[in-house]
Amino acid sequence: AADTTHKIGELAQKLLDLYETDKKERAEEKKSDSARSSKEAGKSGAQNSDKPKSGKHKDLQLIEVIEDTPLDISRKFKQLAVKSAEKFSTEHKRPAIVLANESAARIKDTLRSSSPESTNLFRQKALGLTQGLRRGLESLVQTRSMQNLGNGRNGRRLDFGNLNKLSTWDMHIFRSPILFKSKRTIVHILLDRSGSMTKDDAQMAKIAAYALLVTLDRIPQTKAQLSAFPAIDRDTGRITVVPLGEKPRTFASIIQGLSTFGFTPFVTAMEEVRSVLATQQADKKIVLVITDGIFSEADSEVEKLRASFDKDGIKTGAIGIRAEGNLPMFFGKNFECVESLSRLPGAVFSLAKKLMLEDCAA
């Protein structure tokens, strides 16, 4: 997302500015030392003989970072951030090591580039699920309303209940075709990438998210979007990964490259999703959360959030990765747990039936 890249750029520039400031301070210290007496200057020269090498080493390290692979950039950027973040951690009122870890994670998310072979494998695993997912998702999103257009003056079928109109020379006695109108539907997929997700769980969640996006993209009158949480900092709950209505194929490598880190701001992320959906026009709005069900907020906050979604008429469901965690607290019975990707189509179909029954009951 553009805002993600912008924030990373700001942070990186800040770190580099501090690096340059530190470099200038060292140069000034060296000049002041050389102005001392010859004896002190000799001692100072002996003591500071490594300083130019240190500066040169930093320059080389910076060049090395630029020339290295994106994964190495994350590791070396973190090393630079650990040293530099201490100088401005007070401004953010957060520990320097936390800033360093988060900045490295953001750089990794944005700059990580997968090989074409790896991306193709990721895409193939997801595409293998789409045929099974189609049935469940169509039953969930493609609710159609039946509209009778009334009677016409001609046609192939008589409306016997209206033959009495002939007595008044009204020739509208033929049945008109019934129009089935599909409802415009928006599905917002919210992907959990918090630190509680293991590497295997996160990979399964990302493949599931991409498979859902591809399947929804093929269903008429349906638009989907993907967000991931947590975001860059605690001021934001989520980031947009795939904007509404965009083709998911172009985002496959980005979805695959999402890393896990930090806490799980479920309530904050869901509130932001609700605000986004409030500005979008659709007949039906659905939020599908893919998570391990471990939330950072208090139970009372999660329960309070439920009422706001009910008030706005937004349907919510969840796919639990290997465990249900706190899912019943917010979703009630509208969730399904999957132990493997092969279970995903069946889980989505079961979830669709639960949400459909909930609609009928309402």
Side-chain angles (χ1 to χ4, degrees):
D3 56 344
T4 304
T5 306
H6 178 68
K7 289 183 179 179
I8 291 174
E10 287 184 343
L11 179 58
Q13 186 59 50
K14 206 168 200 176
L15 290 171
L16 293 174
D17 289 344
L18 288 169
Y19 164 75
E20 292 296 333
T21 302
D22 182 67
K23 186 177 179 181
K24 290 178 180 178
E25 289 177 354
R26 288 177 179 271
E28 290 176 358
E29 289 177 2
K30 182 183 176 183
K31 288 180 181 179
S32 63
D33 289 343
S34 62
R36 294 178 184 178
S37 61
S38 57
K39 184 176 181 180
E40 291 177 344
K43 292 181 179 180
S44 176
Q47 292 174 356
N48 296 322
S49 58
D50 293 333
K51 282 189 177 180
K53 294 180 181 179
S54 176
K56 185 178 180 181
H57 175 70
K58 285 187 177 181
D59 291 338
L60 289 174
Q61 184 185 17
L62 191 59
I63 295 172
E64 189 178 8
V65 166
I66 295 172
E67 293 177 348
D68 274 338
T69 64
L71 291 177
D72 290 333
I73 289 176
S74 174
R75 176 174 56 82
K76 295 187 177 182
F77 186 87
K78 179 178 177 180
Q79 294 173 356
L80 177 63
V82 168
K83 299 176 182 178
S84 302
E86 296 176 355
K87 297 186 178 182
F88 61 96
S89 61
T90 306
E91 177 185 337
H92 293 266
K93 298 180 180 179
R94 299 180 65 192
I97 189 64
V98 174
L99 285 171
N101 286 334
E102 290 183 357
S103 63
R106 301 292 64 71
I107 290 292
K108 182 178 180 181
D109 282 355
T110 303
L111 298 181
R112 178 177 179 180
S113 60
S114 303
S115 65
E117 295 79 10
S118 178
T119 302
N120 287 336
L121 180 61
F122 175 84
R123 189 182 290 116
Q124 288 171 9
K125 288 182 179 179
L127 293 179
L129 302 170
T130 55
Q131 186 173 359
L133 284 172
R134 184 79 177 258
R135 181 187 174 199
L137 289 175
E138 281 187 332
S139 63
L140 175 61
V141 303
Q142 280 300 78
T143 305
R144 299 192 296 177
S145 58
M146 185 173 65
Q147 294 183 346
N148 193 333
L149 298 181
N151 294 76
R153 291 177 176 271
N154 51 60
R156 294 184 178 183
R157 300 178 62 186
L158 286 171
D159 187 352
F160 294 101
N162 286 323
L163 288 179
N164 60 327
K165 291 183 178 181
L166 290 172
S167 62
T168 61
W169 297 97
D170 186 350
M171 302 303 295
H172 291 81
I173 58 174
F174 295 93
R175 290 183 179 180
S176 296
I178 296 174
L179 175 66
F180 289 93
K181 184 180 179 182
S182 298
K183 290 186 176 181
R184 294 175 303 163
T185 306
I186 290 177
V187 181
H188 195 122
I189 302 172
L190 186 60
L191 176 64
D192 184 354
R193 59 163 183 171
S194 60
S196 60
M197 299 274 283
T198 66
K199 182 178 179 180
D200 292 340
D201 290 351
Q203 184 68 5
M204 184 164 68
K206 288 185 287 187
I207 293 175
Y210 183 73
L212 289 168
L213 283 171
V214 172
T215 308
L216 289 166
D217 184 57
R218 296 173 180 174
I219 300 176
Q221 291 284 79
T222 302
K223 291 184 178 181
Q225 60 192 125
L226 174 66
S227 295
F229 71 105
I232 301 171
D233 51 47
R234 291 180 180 269
D235 296 331
T236 308
R238 61 167 196 101
I239 58 169
T240 300
V241 181
V242 181
L244 181 66
E246 294 289 340
K247 293 295 180 182
R249 180 181 178 85
T250 58
F251 295 89
S253 60
I254 296 176
I255 297 172
Q256 182 188 13
L258 292 173
S259 61
T260 56
F261 72 99
F263 63 122
T264 315
F266 174 75
V267 173
T268 306
M270 287 291 281
E271 281 288 4
E272 291 181 12
V273 169
R274 187 173 69 88
S275 299
V276 168
L277 288 174
T279 63
Q280 297 169 343
Q281 298 297 321
D283 300 316
K284 192 174 185 180
K285 300 176 182 179
I286 300 170
V287 179
L288 289 178
V289 184
I290 306 175
T291 177
D292 60 358
I294 300 176
F295 308 145
S296 299
E297 293 95 346
D299 296 350
S300 58
E301 295 182 32
V302 177
E303 292 173 354
K304 184 179 178 181
L305 179 67
R306 173 73 267 166
S308 61
F309 274 84
D310 292 339
K311 181 180 178 181
D312 292 347
I314 301 174
K315 299 298 178 184
T316 58
I319 300 296
I321 303 298
R322 303 189 194 277
E324 65 178 45
N326 296 328
L327 294 180
M329 187 184 308
F330 179 84
F331 297 97
K333 295 182 179 180
N334 293 339
F335 71 90
E336 289 289 330
C337 294
V338 293
E339 295 291 332
S340 63
L341 283 171
S342 60
R343 274 275 298 132
L344 183 64
V348 170
F349 186 66
S350 298
L351 179 60
K353 289 194 294 184
K354 290 178 182 179
L355 292 174
M356 293 289 286
L357 289 173
E358 187 180 81
D359 286 338
C360 294

